[in-house]
Amino acid sequence: MTEKLKRLGAGRRLRNYFLTGLIIVAPLAITAYLTWTFIGWVDSWVKPYIPSIYNPDYYLPFAVPGFGLVTALFLITMIGFLTANLVGRSILNFGESLLDRMPLVRSLYKGLKQIFQTVLAEQSGSFKQAALIEYPRRGLWSIVFIATDTKGEVDSRLPEQDSISVFLPTTPNPTSGFLLFVPRKDVIVLDMSVEEAAKMVISAGLVSPEYPKTLPLTPKSKSKADRAVR
């Protein structure tokens, strides 16, 4: 009986060692694989357009990974620099006027431009906070990302005077979800960052950010502490 317990204990320890190693190695391996795949994908798009005189692959017996990605980042930065002045804006406006005459391309370009401006613009405050709302019914709570104040016709037709637009992500894929217009008073803003909230959504609640213990006690926690003292 003792020998059997020892074997079970040894097997349990080996399993724990394996799971601990898997937790460490799997995220590193997946991150490295996705990063390497992304670099190779960008290189395959950019490198064929780089003149041979500037391409190090032409001089070296092996391909230089990441050179296409660096070139793409440099070109994107230069385009942003050039369009920041009057001449660049004039050229951009001329190109957009040409696209505006193409029915299908016009709609696609304007839609994509609006999405990127909303998500990437520095002046945009979108998705900077995580919050809680009661959804799908009273008593059940869901994590949402605060987008912006409700605007336009939607805001004018809502019965609530002060409402905000929130994005409700789904588990385990937070890129899909629902756009909801919620009264501001029904939204509980969280201290956790959007990244921490996204991890919590992806892991179905298994990964939860550490909550600071130095925060002041809420009325609910105070009453619990009082009861414990009594």
Side-chain angles (χ1 to χ4, degrees):
M1 188 68 177
T2 305
E3 291 296 331
K4 185 177 181 180
L5 291 176
K6 287 183 178 180
R7 287 196 298 270
L8 290 175
R12 188 177 293 108
R13 284 197 298 271
L14 288 175
R15 185 191 65 180
N16 291 338
Y17 294 155
F18 172 77
L19 293 177
T20 302
L22 185 64
I23 292 173
I24 296 173
V25 173
L28 291 174
I30 294 174
T31 302
Y33 172 77
L34 293 177
T35 303
W36 189 262
T37 302
F38 176 75
I39 292 174
W41 178 74
V42 176
D43 283 352
S44 66
W45 274 85
V46 177
K47 279 188 176 181
Y49 299 99
I50 301 176
S52 300
I53 191 174
Y54 301 115
N55 193 342
D57 294 353
Y58 182 76
Y59 305 100
L60 299 175
F62 57 88
V64 179
F67 184 76
L69 177 61
V70 173
T71 303
L73 294 176
F74 175 77
L75 291 176
I76 292 173
T77 304
M78 288 303 299
I79 291 173
F81 171 76
L82 294 175
T83 53
N85 55 52
L86 180 61
V87 177
R89 284 197 299 270
S90 300
I91 296 174
L92 179 63
N93 292 334
F94 175 73
E96 288 184 342
S97 65
L98 293 179
L99 290 175
D100 201 39
R101 298 188 179 96
M102 305 177 185
L104 296 177
V105 178
R106 173 182 59 196
S107 301
L108 178 62
Y109 172 75
K110 286 185 176 181
L112 291 174
K113 182 180 179 181
Q114 187 174 10
I115 291 174
F116 275 89
Q117 284 179 337
T118 302
V119 175
L120 299 178
E122 291 182 357
Q123 64 269 23
S124 175
S126 61
F127 288 60
K128 294 295 179 65
Q129 287 180 305
L132 288 174
I133 65 169
E134 284 190 286
Y135 184 91
R137 64 170 176 82
R138 292 289 181 182
L140 298 182
W141 296 84
S142 298
I143 290 180
V144 296
F145 302 140
I146 297 178
T148 182
D149 294 337
T150 307
K151 302 174 183 178
E153 182 182 359
V154 175
D155 181 48
S156 64
R157 291 182 177 271
L158 287 176
E160 290 287 342
Q161 295 296 324
D162 189 15
S163 61
I164 58 177
S165 306
V166 299
F167 176 73
L168 174 66
T170 56
T171 301
N173 179 18
T175 59
S176 64
F178 306 95
L179 172 63
L180 304 175
F181 304 102
V182 187
R184 191 183 299 272
K185 61 182 178 63
D186 294 337
V187 178
I188 300 177
V189 179
L190 299 174
D191 292 327
M192 70 175 69
S193 65
V194 174
E195 290 78 11
E196 290 172 335
K199 291 177 183 178
M200 194 171 182
V201 172
I202 294 172
S203 66
L206 297 177
V207 178
S208 180
E210 182 179 355
Y211 189 66
K213 298 180 180 179
T214 56
L215 291 179
L217 291 176
T218 61
K220 184 184 295 185
S221 58
K222 283 183 179 179
S223 61
K224 290 181 179 179
D226 293 340
R227 289 197 298 267
V229 171
R230 291 174 186 173

